[in-house]
Amino acid sequence: MALSRFVLPFTDVGRGIKPSSGAKLFFYATGTGTSTPASTFSDSAGNTPNTNPVISDANGVFPNIFMSGMFNVVLKDSNDVQVWSADPVNGIPSTGTGFDQVPLNSDINTKFVVNFNTLLDAVGSTLLVDGQSVNLKERTTGNFGGAIWDVVLASTVTPNIYSIVESTGIPALALVLRLGNEIDLIALGASPNATGSHNSAVFQYASSQTDFNVINVCEGSFTISETWVLNDKSLVGAGWRKTQFLPANNTIDAIEFAEGSDFFECRGFTVIYPSLGTGNGVTINNDCHNYVVNQVETILASTGMLIGSRGFAVSIDDVRFNNGVNGLVINGSGQATTFKIGTAYCNVMSNIGFNFNAVNDVYADNLIADLISNYPVFVSSTVTLQINNLHMENGDFGSNAEVAYLRLNSVKNAIINNINADLMTSTVPHYAISVQDGPTKLWLKGYRNVTSTNDNLAIINEVGGKPDSTYTFEGTSVDSNSIITTAGGSDGRYIFPDFQNFYFTGVTGSSGKFQVSHPNVPAILGSAPKGIFANVLDNGVNSAVEVITFSGITQFQLRSLSTGGAVSTSGVTINAHLRYDT
């Protein structure tokens, strides 16, 4: 690296006297007066020291003077009469390999940036001075992490190996990483080539600092030996599969956002476990609010993403959960609200794809579930659920006693704009939607099922329904499958605005006889069949079940002919098949 040339800022030595033979330039360490001489050199490489003082020739011309550092410079004539002095005078390193200077402002004596290839090069330099700034090309060779560091007196700081590093070339100095609102994890010392314990230590240090709010992680694969916990900070990677976090074993949780974190991002990375175990990919703890999850993927995590209670104002989009037990799980405990989900994808889950529990409001644009062994979507104790598109393929439910694409437990309001099911298989009857423990108001605005392996599939399976449950079907298409089967509840009301022709193949499982009637036209029971749109069934007692057909029905209830009241549907099966025009 090259030293800077010292140029005397005077043309005269004394008043009106041109430089004379024997003029003297003395160089001292800055701030020490004349007690500590400092070296200068006759060559830019710093190999040949000058005398101190440096003496002018017969023409008053000084030889080459190269320097680096801070100096007190004193000029005297040949009679040792002081003519001029300056303190400090800053020797500025000039352009050279791996080391350069860029002035920051006109006060060039105190503020400038020098460039080094790596942090190791910078801390080993013997040419740094207090007040400089250092620009690193990368923290370690081939691992990125370039950043700006400031040179300070070592006595004013405490080195920590992450953001404050002591100089080895000049032990009285230290380098301090310049921090803004964001920091690159590599700049603090993490590395794709480092051990999991080293990277975890760097990460925990970053999370503990209050100087910045965003931790950026560059492209690469980073081993994790313990859970990385973020305290009120964003974690931003370079994108799916570009930034990869690799837990060292399958029992540790990988990324965790601490309880009470607010206004943060979780974006741009993939968590890959060595095998399926008990570790969760991403955990967002209780009382986390106003956050965004985007472009996050997990592979072989037990639960891809686990979200705790009392969260609100949450946006989740472009997430993928692969080869686990559960995909996306939200445990709201009745105190979580306003979760907005864009596109979320679950693939190969041994239990549930999407599990929303006790969340007041969930709005999802596009949920995709492929090869889910139990429920693709399970929602419980939720006030409002809206799914614009639910697409499922290749589900294999095996011999589970009760299976459904969408399970609703104690859900008050559900709007499902479209269900698309392809290649769903089961050895027992399965359903599009299982509704339990209502009352539930459900609007299904589109349903398509293709190549199901069990013809007993029904759109709705009701268990434990309660009065005032309402099912609204619009534009729904099924191939000779049941509309509803029910095993409990009472006074259920079913609304089918777009359906024109129904026929019943049986109503069984409860005592008494039933009629199907339009609630807006009162039935006169026991007399003329005013308002009765279907014949009375004999509760399946006869071996030959009468098929009842009626048209123009948009809403119906089950009522007892003997009492005229609504009939408990406990144990009742309604095989309401649809005839529709294609």
Side-chain angles (χ1 to χ4, degrees):
M1 63 187 70
L3 306 184
S4 64
R5 180 187 293 275
F6 175 79
V7 178
L8 185 66
F10 290 91
T11 58
D12 291 345
V13 178
R15 297 186 179 186
I17 302 174
K18 292 185 178 181
S20 61
S21 172
K24 304 171 185 178
L25 275 172
F26 295 84
F27 294 87
Y28 305 97
T30 183
T32 66
T34 60
S35 64
T36 308
S39 297
T40 64
F41 301 87
S42 62
D43 61 298
S44 62
N47 293 324
T48 306
N50 285 320
T51 61
N52 194 359
V54 181
I55 309 298
S56 67
D57 63 17
N59 295 316
V61 177
F62 288 97
N64 288 331
I65 302 174
F66 291 92
M67 59 195 295
S68 175
M70 306 282 284
F71 295 84
N72 173 27
V73 180
V74 178
L75 174 63
K76 295 182 179 181
D77 64 16
S78 59
N79 297 316
D80 287 326
V81 177
Q82 182 170 318
V83 178
W84 167 82
S85 69
D87 187 6
V89 174
N90 201 333
I92 305 172
S94 61
T95 302
T97 303
F99 189 96
D100 202 359
Q101 58 86 18
V102 180
L104 293 179
N105 56 32
S106 59
D107 186 11
I108 201 167
N109 286 329
T110 59
K111 291 186 179 180
F112 57 90
V113 176
V114 292
N115 297 330
F116 286 95
N117 287 326
T118 66
L119 181 60
L120 185 63
D121 293 335
V123 298
S125 172
T126 60
L127 302 174
L128 296 177
V129 294
D130 182 23
Q132 286 180 321
S133 294
V134 171
N135 180 29
L136 298 186
K137 180 180 179 182
E138 51 190 349
R139 175 137 180 169
T140 57
T141 302
N143 288 321
F144 308 102
I148 298 293
W149 296 67
D150 295 312
V151 182
V152 301
L153 294 175
S155 60
T156 64
V157 294
T158 302
N160 59 28
I161 79 170
Y162 305 114
S163 61
I164 303 175
V165 180
E166 187 175 0
S167 170
T168 58
I170 306 177
L173 300 178
L175 276 69
V176 178
L177 179 62
R178 189 178 297 179
L179 300 174
N181 185 57
E182 300 185 11
I183 189 64
D184 195 316
L185 197 64
I186 297 291
L188 289 172
S191 169
N193 299 320
T195 63
S197 59
H198 173 82
N199 284 334
S200 293
V202 175
F203 194 94
Q204 301 300 5
Y205 169 80
S207 183
S208 68
Q209 300 306 295
T210 59
D211 301 295
F212 49 86
N213 298 315
V214 180
I215 300 175
N216 294 314
V217 187
C218 69
E219 186 171 342
S221 299
F222 297 82
T223 303
I224 298 175
S225 62
E226 59 185 83
T227 303
W228 285 9
V229 181
L230 292 102
N231 293 290
D232 230 11
K233 286 181 171 53
S234 295
L235 179 62
V236 179
W240 280 324
R241 305 292 173 99
K242 293 181 179 179
T243 298
Q244 299 182 5
F245 299 130
L246 310 178
N249 60 68
N250 63 13
T251 61
I252 62 173
D253 296 340
I255 306 298
E256 180 176 328
F257 291 85
E259 183 170 343
S261 294
D262 201 4
F263 291 101
F264 63 88
E265 282 188 83
C266 172
R267 173 163 56 90
F269 60 84
T270 299
V271 177
I272 305 177
Y273 280 84
S275 61
L276 181 60
T278 59
N280 298 325
V282 177
T283 301
I284 301 176
N285 280 307
N286 300 339
D287 296 300
C288 292
H289 316 130
N290 303 293
Y291 59 87
V292 174
V293 179
N294 183 258
Q295 278 205 348
V296 172
E297 179 185 37
T298 65
I299 299 173
L300 291 170
S302 179
T303 296
M305 179 171 290
L306 177 62
I307 298 176
S309 65
R310 297 185 297 276
F312 61 80
V314 177
S315 176
I316 301 173
D317 193 19
D318 287 341
V319 292
R320 306 173 183 175
F321 309 107
N322 304 289
N323 303 91
V325 178
N326 299 297
L328 173 62
V329 177
I330 304 175
N331 287 325
S333 299
Q335 302 176 66
T337 186
T338 317
F339 280 72
K340 296 183 179 180
I341 303 173
T343 297
Y345 176 75
C346 287
N347 176 55
V348 191
M349 295 292 160
S350 62
N351 189 28
I352 296 173
F354 303 96
N355 189 343
F356 309 140
N357 175 42
V359 183
N360 288 334
D361 302 288
V362 178
Y363 305 93
D365 283 335
N366 194 31
L367 300 183
I368 304 169
D370 189 10
L371 286 172
I372 311 299
S373 296
N374 203 334
Y375 295 98
V377 182
F378 192 110
V379 184
S380 59
S381 302
T382 293
V383 176
T384 301
L385 170 71
Q386 179 173 331
I387 301 175
N388 290 330
N389 182 60
L390 173 58
H391 182 87
M392 295 151 294
E393 292 187 7
N394 304 308
D396 184 3
F397 298 124
S399 58
N400 291 345
E402 193 270 352
V403 289
Y405 306 151
L406 171 61
R407 170 78 173 264
L408 305 178
N409 275 26
S410 298
V411 176
K412 292 184 178 180
N413 302 284
I415 300 174
I416 314 299
N417 285 326
N418 182 56
I419 291 181
N420 189 69
D422 289 346
L423 301 174
M424 309 300 283
T425 63
S426 175
T427 59
V428 297
H430 57 288
Y431 314 96
I433 303 173
S434 176
V435 179
Q436 304 203 13
D437 298 326
T440 296
K441 290 179 172 60
L442 169 65
W443 291 263
L444 178 60
K445 297 185 178 181
Y447 171 70
R448 174 179 174 269
N449 183 65
V450 178
T451 61
S452 169
T453 62
N454 194 302
D455 290 336
N456 294 321
L457 180 144
I459 296 179
I460 298 290
N461 178 48
E462 183 186 69
V463 180
K466 296 179 179 178
D468 297 324
S469 287
T470 301
Y471 306 123
T472 301
F473 288 47
E474 297 180 12
T476 298
S477 170
V478 292
D479 274 324
S480 300
N481 291 318
S482 299
I483 304 299
I484 296 174
T485 65
T486 181
S490 62
D491 200 21
R493 182 172 297 178
Y494 311 99
I495 305 174
F496 305 95
D498 287 357
F499 289 1
Q500 296 300 315
N501 299 290
F502 293 90
Y503 68 91
F504 281 81
T505 58
V507 179
T508 62
S510 196
S511 60
K513 296 185 179 181
F514 306 94
Q515 66 182 18
V516 179
S517 64
H518 194 294
N520 295 330
V521 182
I524 302 177
L525 303 175
S527 59
K530 181 180 180 181
I532 299 176
F533 294 91
N535 293 332
V536 177
L537 298 179
D538 61 2
N539 208 27
V541 174
N542 294 334
S543 58
V545 178
E546 183 177 5
V547 175
I548 304 158
T549 303
F550 55 93
S551 300
I553 304 303
T554 60
Q555 192 176 69
F556 68 85
Q557 292 178 311
L558 294 183
R559 292 183 176 276
S560 169
L561 283 181
S562 59
T563 66
V567 176
S568 171
T569 56
S570 178
V572 171
T573 299
I574 305 173
N575 295 317
H577 290 262
L578 167 65
R579 291 176 177 171
Y580 61 94
D581 296 327
T582 58

